[in-house]
């Protein structure tokens, strides 16, 4: 790719001289002309610096070129890496933002052999697989459009062949049927062409990324490569999730046209009231995506219908009751299968095995907790409604490692390991916190009490409106669902297929809402021991579901999905 304009030597420009640049120093972050390059190579401090041609520099992606070896704050070269903040630092950073950080390592150790690491090969394969998957899907959609067009033609021929044997009395009915056919075909064609355009757009992005990836491995520095891996992984993960989403959804189902002719055409003048009927049957698509990593898009088994969801009782948490009682307000299941519940009465975080036996009290708080969620790497987050605060807890060391204070009460919380979302029901907004640097942004006009993140979207319950809603992470509402089975919904969780499970306090039941928000069904009720349920959590690996409730007897029930 050629440079959009001439590059001038950075050093010459400082002397008000414009000399054409021929190389770029990846460590000094400067363009060099022929003469300056000679001095650059002779200098004791820069003779070992890596340089690339100015032409090759412009072939790098923009986010690679934006990556510098120098600290933006202090202007010094990066020499250290902070594991806690996951970022490169200069020596001055250790006395500034990273003064209290105890996880500093030499940057050279982190970047050692980064280009030959498994992460580079895996990401390269992910990009290649995504590109092939999009090619397969686009080819499939083009074939479906062609097949539907042929089916439309065959249907028209069948209709008009029958038309020859009848008189003008059927003209009106015939035209109506043709109109129905055209309407259904237009809907299908529009839907698939829209999906095709979207797939084509995403495929072009992946193809571009694939080309840029090759240039990155050739010309980028180790630091640039390290930084870009995260960016590329975000893009590939997003596109892989998109493929998984459309594969698991109804968009790629095979839709076929059929025309059903009336069997009473012989007595048409007397009996026939319609010319026929246009129907579309649905079959699963036959596109098989390339197998990726376990955390990427996979070819999944058939998704069950909402009527097939029948949780079975597994166990109860064996709780030693104390004077004054207990109140389990929230819960979550860890990756090792252990269950964590939040007791608002004793202000404690308790851990149980999934067979129900008590393990330990992880931590006790001075203030009354409200909600809990797993974050990452042995870290959990706990919100405190009245105290307007959120705490990060290291469950292995049983201590609070970071506190966040806000100006309004904090309700439900959820995290996907990259961001943490905090519901603020009194102000009808959300706080979205970046877990890399703990920066926050506010999303307004979202009134939810308990929340759960899944596939990049936010799902939540509104206790007072008796609704379940889904929002994009940017704050855009996708849908809101309401049913007579849902009365005072509190806890919310999603299974691996995207079904939404809601703990309804007043109706004493667990209601499942379909991923398309078109239907729901109560799958557990008082007959299953559900009384005043408050929270619900699901481990998608084991299929274990934990429901906590406010009763004098059993406080938490375990079910198998």
């Amino acid at each position: 790719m050629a440079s959009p304009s001439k590059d001038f030597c950075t050093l010459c420009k400082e002397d008000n001289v414009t000399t054409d640049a021929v190389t770029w120093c990846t460590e000094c972050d400067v363009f060099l002309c022929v003469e300056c390059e000679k001095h650059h190579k002779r200098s004791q401090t820069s003779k070992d610096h890596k340089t690339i041609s100015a032409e090759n520099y412009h072939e790098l992606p923009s986010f690679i070129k934006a990556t510098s070896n120098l600290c933006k704050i202090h202007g010094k070269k990066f020499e250290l890496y902070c594991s806690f903040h996951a970022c490169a630092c200069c020596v001055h950073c250790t006395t500034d933002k990273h003064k209290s950080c105890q996880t500093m390592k030499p940057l050279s150790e982190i970047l050692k052999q980064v280009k030959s690491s498994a992460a580079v090969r895996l990401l390269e394969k992910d990009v290649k697989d995504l590109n092939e998957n999009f090619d397969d899907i686009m080819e499939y959609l083009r074939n479906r459009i062609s097949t539907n067009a042929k089916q439309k033609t065959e249907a028209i021929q069948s209709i008009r062949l029958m038309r020859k044997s009848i008189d003008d009395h059927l003209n009106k009915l015939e035209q109506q049927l043709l109109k129905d056919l055209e309407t259904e075909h237009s809907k299908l064609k529009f839907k698939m062409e829209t999906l095709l355009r979207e797939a084509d757009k995403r495929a072009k992005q992946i193809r571009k990324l694939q080309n840029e990836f090759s240039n990155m491995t050739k010309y980028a520095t180790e630091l640039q490569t390290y930084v870009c891996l995260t960016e590329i992984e975000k893009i590939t993960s997003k596109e892989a999730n998109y493929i998984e989403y459309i594969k698991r959804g109804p968009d790629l189902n095979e839709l076929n046209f059929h025309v059903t002719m009336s069997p009473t055409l012989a007595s048409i003048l007397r009996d026939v009231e319609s010319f026929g009927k246009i129907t579309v049957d649905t079959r699963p698509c036959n596109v098989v995506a390339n197998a990726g990593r376990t955390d990427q898009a996979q070819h999944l088994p058939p998704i069950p219908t909402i009527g097939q969801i029948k949780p079975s009782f597994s166990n109860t948490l064996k709780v030693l009751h104390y004077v004054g009682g207990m109140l389990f307000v929230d819960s979550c299941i860890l990756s090792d299968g252990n269950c964590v519940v939040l007791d608002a009465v004793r202000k404690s975080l308790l851990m149980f095995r999934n067979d129900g036996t008590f393990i330990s009290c992880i931590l006790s708080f001075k203030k009354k907790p409200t909600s809990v969620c797993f974050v990452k790497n042995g870290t959990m987050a706990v919100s405190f409604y009245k105290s307007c605060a959120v705490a990060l807890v290291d469950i292995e060391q049983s201590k609070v490692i970071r506190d966040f204070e806000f100006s309004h009460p904090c309700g439900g919380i959820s995290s996907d390991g990259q961001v943490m979302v905090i519901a603020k029901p009194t102000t009808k907004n959300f706080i979205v916190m970046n877990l890399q640097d703990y920066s926050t942004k506010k999303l307004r006009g979202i009134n939810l009490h308990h929340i759960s993140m899944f596939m990049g979207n936010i799902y939540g319950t509104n206790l007072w409106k008796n609704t379940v809603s889904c929002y994009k992470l940017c704050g855009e509402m996708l849908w809101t669902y309401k049913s007579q089975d849902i009365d005072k919904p509190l806890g919310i969780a999603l299974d691996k297929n995207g079904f939404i499970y809601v703990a309804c306090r007043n109706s004493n039941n667990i209601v499942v809402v379909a991923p398309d928000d078109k239907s729901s069904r109560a799958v557990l009720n008082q007959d299953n021991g559900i009384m005043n349920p408050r929270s619900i959590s699901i481990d998608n690996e084991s299929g274990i579901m934990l429901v906590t409730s406010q009763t004098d007897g059993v406080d938490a029930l375990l079910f198998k999905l």
Side-chain angles (χ1 to χ4, degrees), residues 171-439:
N171 284 343
K172 183 179 179 180
L173 298 177
E174 177 195 23
Q175 292 306 314
Q176 182 60 50
L177 185 58
L178 291 174
K179 181 180 178 181
D180 292 344
L181 174 63
E182 188 62 39
T183 298
E184 291 298 329
H185 177 263
S186 297
K187 290 179 181 178
L188 291 179
K189 183 179 179 182
F190 176 79
K191 177 180 177 182
M192 286 186 285
E193 286 180 339
T194 300
L195 189 58
L196 178 60
R197 285 193 297 271
E198 175 66 16
D200 183 54
K201 182 180 74 173
R202 291 173 179 265
K204 288 178 180 177
Q205 180 185 2
I206 293 301
R207 283 194 290 271
K208 178 182 176 184
L209 185 62
Q210 190 175 22
N211 293 333
E212 293 174 340
F213 196 97
S214 176
N215 292 327
M216 177 200 72
T217 57
K218 291 179 182 178
Y219 311 121
T221 67
E222 284 76 7
L223 175 59
Q224 291 172 333
T225 302
Y226 176 80
V227 172
C228 83
L229 290 181
T230 300
E231 297 298 323
I232 295 176
E233 187 165 13
K234 287 180 182 178
I235 296 172
T236 58
S237 179
K238 177 182 177 182
E239 297 305 319
N241 288 339
Y242 172 78
I243 290 179
E244 181 178 359
Y245 170 77
I246 62 174
K247 281 284 296 170
R248 291 169 57 183
D251 291 336
L252 296 182
N253 286 338
E254 184 175 309
L255 306 175
N256 296 304
F257 284 108
H258 296 283
V259 58
T260 303
M261 304 306 302
S262 172
T264 57
L265 283 175
S267 55
I268 189 170
L269 293 176
R270 183 184 72 250
D271 301 322
V272 176
E273 297 180 355
S274 66
F275 202 85
K277 182 180 180 181
I278 299 297
T279 59
V280 179
D281 65 39
T282 301
R283 301 176 187 174
C285 73
N286 57 5
V287 178
V288 180
N290 290 336
R293 286 181 281 163
T294 55
D295 59 341
Q296 299 287 335
Q298 300 288 323
H299 182 59
L300 300 175
I303 300 174
T305 64
I306 195 169
Q308 294 173 320
I309 297 176
K310 297 178 181 179
S312 58
F313 175 77
S314 176
N315 217 323
T316 63
L317 296 191
K318 300 171 179 61
V319 182
L320 177 62
H321 289 269
Y322 300 91
V323 176
M326 307 179 82
L327 177 58
F328 291 167
V329 292
D330 204 1
S331 64
C332 69
I333 303 177
L334 304 179
S335 57
D336 60 5
N338 288 335
C339 305
V340 175
V341 294
L342 200 59
D343 179 14
V345 173
R346 300 186 65 82
K347 304 175 184 176
S348 300
L349 198 59
L350 308 176
M351 183 180 291
F352 298 79
R353 294 186 178 87
N354 57 18
D355 64 359
T357 56
F358 176 75
I359 298 178
S360 65
C361 174
I362 299 174
L363 193 62
S364 294
F365 306 99
K366 295 181 180 180
K367 44 201 174 186
K368 184 177 179 179
T370 302
S371 183
V372 63
C373 73
F374 180 76
V375 180
K376 61 179 178 179
N377 301 332
T379 305
M380 303 189 73
V382 178
S383 68
F384 303 88
Y385 185 86
K386 291 185 178 180
S387 302
C388 307
V390 171
L392 288 183
V393 176
D394 187 323
I395 57 178
E396 294 180 358
Q397 300 183 35
S398 298
K399 68 176 184 179
V400 174
I401 57 176
R402 200 174 186 102
D403 280 306
F404 304 95
E405 295 183 356
F406 300 92
S407 57
H408 294 89
C410 300
I413 54 176
S414 186
S415 173
D416 62 1
Q418 301 297 320
V419 300
M420 179 166 61
V421 181
I422 308 164
K424 313 280 283 183
T426 59
T427 56
K428 298 182 180 179
N429 62 48
F430 270 173
I431 297 294
V432 178
M433 177 181 291
N434 187 323
L435 294 174
Q436 293 293 324
D437 56 7
Y438 302 110
S439 60

Side-chain angles (χ1 to χ4, degrees), residues 156-173:
I156 293 175
Q157 291 174 347
S158 178
I159 292 168
R160 290 180 174 168
L161 180 63
M162 182 60 70
R163 172 73 171 77
K164 294 178 182 179
S165 63
I166 60 178
D167 58 24
D168 292 339
H169 176 73
L170 293 179
N171 284 343
K172 183 179 179 180
L173 298 177

